Amino acid sequence: MLFRSFRLLRCFFEGGTVEAYQNNLKSMVHVVEQALELPKIMPHPIPLLQCTENKTLVMTQQQVFSLLANAFLCTFGRQPSNYADINFFELFSSGPPRAPGRLDRFTEGDYTKLEKLQCIFNYFYTMYLRNKFELWSHGRVVTFERRYLTDPEIPNWARARCDKLLSDVEININGKIEDCGKEMLQVDFANPAVGGDVFGEHASMEEIRFSICPELIVARLFTEQLGEDEVLLVTGCEQFSIYEGSGTRFRCTGLYQDPAIVDSMGKIGRAHV
């Protein structure tokens, strides 16, 4: 029998203020309620975004939340090896203690995971409040698109001759991509497994983005590992946390109220690729 440690999750609940503890409990009640709604709001199997095919999958905000609620509760079965893990087991477990016999000590990676948990609960708490005050945006959707190029479609850049100039490029060395690139296509050059090490100890560009925009995480459930000639384009995800630093210095510093505008199709005009 495989033993799973939930040590970090317990530490997260017990290590904050009384107010934070109460808010987290309220959020968890809502998480369980929405997880149980999944058979009703998604009665059919979810299509897979598999290798070497162009396919689009559209979900409502509530469907995404229900899927993530189930992933947090670890209700999904084991993923095939060519798909990323969707259950949150790894995020809840801690690494080996720094000193033998000192079980109260956490590794640097454990502290990073605790910050990621705070980002996740910022998302849960925001959605709990929206549900409580009937601010749930039923019309908002998130679109997941897998794009694939066949060999004839891939340009031969070494031999290509083109008299067209590139568009003007602006380089900004200050700020973060999510601040400077609002309402723009935001490119993440990262792991072929969607989300990278979002449940693990690392906090680079991809892991941070999936932590502050948890709706991206749901793509791990149905997106097969990306090839060199493929991308995943996600449109409509909100940002729920603000942060500072990266790696072992990554810190979740608070809730974020995303000012992004929802268009007539229910989409937020921001795309991640």
Side-chain angles (χ1 to χ4, degrees), residues 15-260:
T17 63
V18 173
E19 180 183 8
Y21 181 79
Q22 293 173 341
N23 289 341
N24 290 337
L25 285 182
K26 295 174 185 176
S27 299
M28 280 304 305
V29 172
H30 185 231
V31 165
V32 173
E33 291 173 347
Q34 289 301 311
L36 293 173
E37 289 289 305
L38 187 60
K40 182 192 303 183
I41 63 177
M42 299 197 77
H44 305 293
I46 302 173
L48 300 178
L49 302 184
Q50 297 176 304
C51 286
T52 67
E53 64 178 19
N54 293 300
K55 185 180 288 186
T56 300
L57 183 59
V58 181
M59 294 184 181
T60 66
Q61 182 185 45
Q62 185 182 12
Q63 288 174 327
V64 170
F65 186 87
S66 183
L67 287 170
L68 282 178
N70 277 277
F72 185 86
L73 298 173
C74 304
T75 65
F76 292 110
R78 184 184 295 273
Q79 291 275 84
S81 60
N82 52 339
Y83 287 78
D85 291 333
I86 184 63
N87 290 321
F88 280 55
F89 283 125
E90 185 180 0
L91 189 60
F92 300 153
S93 61
S94 61
R98 283 182 164 184
R102 295 295 302 277
L103 297 180
D104 58 324
R105 295 199 174 186
F106 293 115
T107 66
E108 289 183 339
D110 290 340
Y111 287 111
T112 300
K113 287 183 177 182
L114 288 171
E115 298 298 328
K116 292 179 180 179
L117 274 171
Q118 183 60 66
C119 291
I120 298 297
F121 270 88
N122 283 348
Y123 166 63
F124 287 159
Y125 186 61
T126 299
M127 300 305 287
Y128 156 74
L129 290 177
R130 290 181 183 179
N131 182 70
K132 178 180 179 180
F133 296 105
E134 299 182 351
L135 299 175
W136 190 278
S137 180
H138 292 281
R140 186 168 74 79
V141 298
V142 182
T143 302
F144 304 87
E145 301 176 66
R146 190 181 187 117
R147 302 280 183 85
Y148 164 70
L149 289 178
T150 61
D151 287 340
E153 294 175 310
I154 300 176
N156 186 333
W157 299 110
R159 297 182 180 180
R161 292 184 178 181
C162 184
D163 57 0
K164 295 182 179 180
L165 299 177
L166 293 174
S167 302
D168 292 338
V169 176
E170 178 180 337
I171 299 175
N172 190 338
I173 62 173
N174 299 312
K176 304 167 183 173
I177 184 173
E178 57 270 14
D179 297 327
C180 300
K182 292 184 183 298
E183 312 303 324
M184 297 182 182
L185 179 67
Q186 301 177 10
V187 181
D188 172 24
F189 298 96
N191 203 303
V194 175
D197 195 34
V198 64
F199 296 150
E201 300 179 351
H202 297 93
S204 298
M205 180 181 182
E206 183 165 20
E207 290 81 16
I208 292 173
R209 176 46 57 93
F210 275 64
S211 297
I212 65 174
C213 304
E215 291 168 321
L216 291 168
I217 295 175
V218 76
R220 294 166 67 91
L221 177 63
F222 47 77
T223 306
E224 191 173 3
Q225 182 170 307
L226 298 171
E228 294 183 355
D229 49 4
E230 296 178 301
V231 298
L232 178 67
L233 176 64
V234 184
T235 307
C237 285
E238 280 188 68
Q239 180 180 338
F240 292 88
S241 297
I242 53 177
Y243 72 96
E244 60 184 26
S246 62
T248 57
R249 293 185 173 87
F250 172 69
R251 298 291 182 271
C252 176
T253 56
L255 287 164
Y256 181 75
Q257 298 297 324
D258 198 327

